[in-house]
Amino acid sequence: MNTSQVIDQLMQLEARPQTMLKAKVSKENLIVAAYQAVNSKMAALKTAAEAFTAPNALTPTNPTWQAVKATSSATSVTATATTGASPVSLTFDVTALAKAQVTTASYASATATATTGSSVDLTVAGTTTTINLTDTSVQGVASAINAAKTGVTAAVVTTTTGTVLQLTGDKTGAANSFSITGLSAATTNIVTASDAQITVGDPASGGYVVTSATNSFTNLMNNVTVNVSKLETGVTMTVAADPESIADKMQALVDAANSALAQVGTYTTYNSTAKSGGVLTGDYTVRLLRDNILSAVSNGLAGYGSYKQVGVDLDKTGKLTFDRSAFIVAYNANPASVQNGVSNGVATSLSKIAKDATDFVSGTLTTAIQSGQDQVKDLNNRIADWDSRLQMRQTALKRQFAAMEAALGQLKNQSSWLAGQIGGLPSGNSSGN
């Protein structure tokens, strides 16, 4: 008898309850994963909806509705407007660009002595640094200045007339000018540190000048940054509402809702090929989410009407659609009405549905996920208990079959002895006496 094989077969029968528990764990894990996938899509829907709703009492007006865009009539002038910028149109001239100082000193060669002593004093933006030198050649001075990192970069340039020690300020603007003392050669400022300048109107007749240490102006008007790259006259910069960026967020909201609906469909729709339903087929929690999203869009807003007014509608397949052109036309015609329809209507409704599902404590999906995880934990504990029970049962079977094999061995030995004894008995003669 192959007792090992017999024990394995018996253990398979003994383990059937545990095998069934493992199958339940696999199924429950699939359900939990499905809930988590839907929860992720609903969280994304909540985020997209909250782009249009006031997040709290401290922010009564969502920044989305304050979106503005700045444009310039000159390609050399760019402007960026952020939330809080006021609609305005301004004409100005770019009368100066910001420059960094460039200073030179000429020498016979790179190995020539460049200083009058063993150090130089470099003053940058009003701060003086003494740079001690171990090498007073032109190249040695340049290396020491660069190592000091004072805001000035030095280079040794070989020209047709000799060697030039060139010092360049790291920053533009008049405030970042510099001077150096201790060089043996005279210095020449070939570029003077200067500010960029914008002139509005005639300063002699009520106009004004705005300066910046860089070619970027943040002080021309609140929440608007203007960048200049060349001198220009008659530049017109316009800051106006930006319905295009708002439409982008509306599209994102519609896409998020459709993505959530599609995810629900993935786990609840019957698959005719596989002849089976998704792991959440018939699940009330996710079916209610789908129904609530569709109802929120189809019902419109009391006192406002259909969301078709802001370009949002349902098609015959139960999918949300967004008419971008209709939204922009409606917004340009009546921004307040569109904001009411979206913020107090479709966005608020979808945000509430998503929040009720995904809330960290009380969300319906959160609760379902936690319940499933608890069940998996309980099943795994029961499986672990079965591991101990099966181990004990296998040990008992091995002990029983070992005893049986020993008994069979003894019987076999006795049988052999008895056969030998019988074989040794005298046999009868042929006559039968």
Side-chain angles (χ1 to χ4, degrees):
M1 179 184 293
N2 188 338
T3 56
S4 295
Q5 185 178 31
V6 172
I7 292 174
D8 287 342
Q9 291 173 345
L10 290 173
M11 288 305 301
Q12 290 178 14
L13 293 174
E14 295 280 352
R16 279 185 178 179
Q18 186 189 54
T19 302
M20 294 175 64
L21 290 175
K22 290 179 178 179
K24 288 183 179 180
V25 168
S26 297
K27 181 179 180 180
E28 195 61 37
N29 279 331
L30 290 176
I31 293 174
V32 170
Y35 278 134
Q36 290 173 329
V38 175
N39 187 72
S40 176
K41 295 298 184 181
M42 293 301 295
L45 174 59
K46 177 176 176 287
T47 299
E50 286 179 346
F52 295 97
T53 59
N56 53 56
L58 299 178
T59 312
T61 302
N62 195 290
T64 294
W65 298 108
Q66 300 175 7
V68 289
K69 183 178 182 180
T71 57
S72 168
S73 63
T75 57
S76 63
V77 178
T78 60
T80 303
T82 57
T83 300
S86 300
V88 68
S89 181
L90 181 67
T91 300
F92 56 84
D93 300 330
V94 181
T95 50
L97 295 178
K99 297 178 181 179
Q101 180 178 329
V102 180
T103 297
T104 61
S106 298
Y107 295 90
S109 68
T111 58
T113 300
T115 66
T116 58
S118 60
S119 66
V120 294
D121 289 334
L122 187 58
T123 302
V124 182
T127 300
T128 300
T129 302
T130 297
I131 301 174
N132 296 314
L133 305 169
T134 57
D135 180 357
T136 59
S137 68
V138 177
Q139 186 59 62
V141 171
S143 297
I145 290 174
N146 289 335
K149 299 184 182 303
T150 60
V152 173
T153 300
V156 178
V157 183
T158 302
T159 71
T160 56
T161 58
T163 298
V164 172
L165 174 63
Q166 179 173 296
L167 306 176
T168 304
D170 293 344
K171 295 181 180 180
T172 59
N176 294 307
S177 62
F178 63 86
S179 62
I180 187 169
T181 59
L183 296 179
S184 59
T187 59
T188 302
N189 292 340
I190 60 175
V191 178
T192 301
S194 60
D195 294 336
Q197 182 174 283
I198 285 177
T199 301
V200 181
D202 183 0
S205 304
Y208 56 88
V209 174
V210 179
T211 61
S212 172
T214 68
N215 289 319
S216 180
F217 292 81
T218 58
N219 53 347
L220 184 61
M221 57 186 65
N222 290 336
N223 302 305
V224 177
T225 299
V226 179
N227 298 299
V228 299
S229 59
K230 62 179 289 188
L231 302 183
E232 292 278 8
T233 59
V235 179
T236 298
M237 183 187 67
T238 302
V239 178
D242 186 16
E244 291 287 346
S245 69
I246 303 174
D248 289 341
K249 292 186 178 181
M250 279 297 298
Q251 183 67 66
L253 174 60
V254 169
D255 290 344
N258 282 330
S259 183
L261 290 172
Q263 192 71 284
V264 170
T266 298
Y267 295 114
T268 59
T269 303
Y270 180 80
N271 188 323
S272 58
T273 302
K275 295 183 179 180
S276 64
V279 294
L280 298 179
T281 297
D283 185 278
Y284 175 76
T285 299
V286 294
R287 285 194 296 108
L288 184 60
L289 288 178
R290 178 195 60 201
D291 295 344
N292 286 343
I293 291 173
L294 297 178
S295 296
V297 177
S298 63
N299 290 341
L301 176 63
Y304 180 81
S306 171
Y307 295 131
K308 288 183 181 180
Q309 298 176 76
V310 294
V312 178
D313 199 6
L314 293 175
D315 64 16
K316 61 182 179 181
T317 66
K319 182 179 179 180
L320 277 69
T321 61
F322 177 59
D323 188 334
R324 184 184 185 91
S325 297
F327 175 85
I328 292 175
V329 168
Y331 184 84
N332 287 331
N334 193 338
S337 177
V338 171
Q339 182 173 347
N340 175 46
V342 176
S343 288
N344 299 324
V346 62
T348 294
S349 296
L350 293 179
S351 175
K352 184 178 185 307
I353 293 168
K355 182 179 184 303
D356 289 345
T358 62
D359 184 82
F360 185 74
V361 176
S362 60
T364 55
L365 289 175
T366 303
T367 302
I369 291 169
Q370 186 61 56
S371 176
Q373 291 173 336
D374 289 343
Q375 187 169 350
V376 168
K377 182 179 179 180
D378 177 66
L379 289 171
N380 283 329
N381 288 336
R382 291 165 64 185
I383 290 171
D385 290 341
W386 268 101
D387 284 338
S388 300
R389 294 167 63 183
L390 291 173
Q391 182 63 43
M392 292 173 62
R393 180 57 177 157
Q394 186 178 46
T395 300
L397 287 173
K398 286 181 178 180
R399 187 165 51 247
Q400 291 174 2
F401 275 87
M404 182 186 69
E405 287 179 336
L408 289 174
Q410 292 178 358
L411 290 174
K412 182 177 180 181
N413 290 335
Q414 292 175 0
S415 175
S416 298
W417 176 83
L418 184 60
Q421 293 297 317
I422 294 174
L425 294 175
S427 59
N429 57 35
S430 60
S431 62
N433 292 327

